[in-house]
Amino acid sequence: MRKNIVAGNWKMNKTLQEGLALATELNAALAGSELNCDVVIGTPYIHLASVSAAIDTTKIGVAAQNCANKASGAYTGEISVSMIKSTGAKYVILGHSERREYYAETSAILNEKVALTLAEGLTPIYCCGEALEVRNANQQNAYVKNQLEETVFNLSADDFQKIVIAYEPIWAIGTGVTASTEQAQDTLAYIRTIIAEKFGQEIAEGTSILYGGSCNAKNAAELFSQPDIDGGLIGGASLKVEDFKAIIDAF
Ligand code: PEP
């Protein structure tokens, strides 16, 4: 059975002290409650170790938002997956559209990052999604298929089963414009279909596919009620415990 997952992406927000306060507040808010989904928080790199030490990581998984495409060595300023692992983090968000757009992350670079993440036993949360022009031209399925074919569809079936997919239409990220429930469900159902074509029905049924893009406390329940939406990758609404908890509670 695939997992339901609500994953926060703090992006470049929160000082260390603010991040620790947010994480411990979330930890307290979730303590003692039965959750119907896995919860993940994607913090800035420099918060990973402190946040992991301050919370119950059996209840809240910690994610890095990126990693280096090299294992170690003379790459000034970079952070390797083994360093991320040593903090207690269990996930790495990869291929976010902001990294593709602002930091020129190509499919070739992402293939290296996915492979390094899997080699360390961490879970990639692999993002895909189209820009507005692509959606307006009704080419979103072909676009997303190509993004997956250039990257995670090259994994072995065994490795593919270790990843989480997040579909995030770029036009819905941070804009307050959510994909309609139908648009989100249709695209996620399409992604599941092409996973089935590539890896078989059983693996497709077992893959967690998240929706991301202005998902919030108000629209989460409707989105998560859809058969192919296994949770959300949450940006802005993950920065306030009340909002993020309401999204978690939408399951
Ligand atoms: C994101 O960047 O992954 C995201 C979904 O952001 P927001 O929820 O703010 O649209």
Side-chain angles (χ1 to χ4, degrees):
M1 259 274 281
R2 59 187 185 253
K3 288 177 180 168
N4 293 325
I5 302 170
V6 172
N9 174 12
W10 293 2
K11 308 193 184 187
M12 196 175 72
N13 292 297
K14 305 289 178 189
T15 63
L16 178 58
Q17 291 73 22
E18 291 165 350
L20 266 174
L22 175 60
T24 50
E25 195 191 332
L26 178 68
N27 193 57
L30 300 185
S33 48
E34 281 293 312
L35 302 179
N36 295 320
C37 61
D38 286 3
V39 176
V40 178
I41 50 178
T43 81
Y45 285 136
I46 58 162
H47 303 12
L48 290 171
S50 317
V51 163
S52 294
I55 62 173
D56 176 0
T57 51
T58 63
K59 195 144 203 175
I60 305 173
V62 179
Q65 300 170 19
N66 182 30
C67 67
N69 64 330
K70 306 287 180 216
S72 65
Y75 301 102
T76 302
E78 289 296 304
I79 306 289
S80 72
V81 183
S82 60
M83 293 172 188
I84 292 167
K85 185 179 182 179
S86 71
T87 68
K90 297 278 181 333
Y91 299 81
V92 184
I93 299 169
L94 290 173
H96 192 283
S97 59
E98 288 154 15
R99 297 223 46 95
R100 292 178 192 258
E101 186 179 347
Y102 307 142
Y103 300 96
E105 287 199 354
T106 60
S107 293
I109 291 170
L110 288 169
N111 280 332
E112 294 174 326
K113 294 186 176 189
V114 169
L116 288 163
T117 301
L118 288 170
E120 289 290 346
L122 271 57
T123 301
I125 300 177
Y126 185 81
C127 305
C128 58
E130 81 287 352
L132 187 58
E133 316 82 81
V134 177
R135 171 64 65 164
N136 286 341
N138 200 27
Q139 291 301 309
Q140 64 276 2
N141 286 357
Y143 187 87
V144 167
K145 185 177 191 203
N146 184 55
Q147 280 185 321
L148 297 176
E149 281 180 344
E150 285 186 355
T151 54
V152 291
F153 278 10
N154 294 316
L155 293 170
S156 66
D158 195 34
D159 278 344
F160 186 82
Q161 292 176 78
K162 297 174 185 154
I163 73 168
V164 172
I165 303 279
Y167 166 67
E168 300 205 300
I170 298 169
W171 45 273
I173 295 177
T175 57
V177 179
T178 318
S180 70
T181 306
E182 193 183 8
Q183 285 173 322
Q185 163 57 26
D186 285 354
T187 310
L188 267 62
Y190 173 73
I191 292 171
R192 203 175 301 286
T193 303
I194 57 174
I195 295 171
E197 282 165 12
K198 174 74 190 167
F199 294 106
Q201 193 63 32
E202 198 180 332
I203 290 179
E205 290 300 331
T207 303
S208 294
I209 312 178
L210 315 184
Y211 167 77
S214 299
C215 181
N216 58 41
K218 290 207 176 86
N219 58 30
E222 187 177 325
L223 286 161
F224 298 169
S225 71
Q226 298 301 302
D228 287 291
I229 302 182
D230 305 317
L233 183 54
I234 317 295
S238 69
L239 296 172
K240 275 202 193 138
V241 170
E242 193 186 347
D243 293 345
F244 194 53
K245 183 170 184 306
I247 296 170
I248 294 163
D249 290 342
F251 268 117

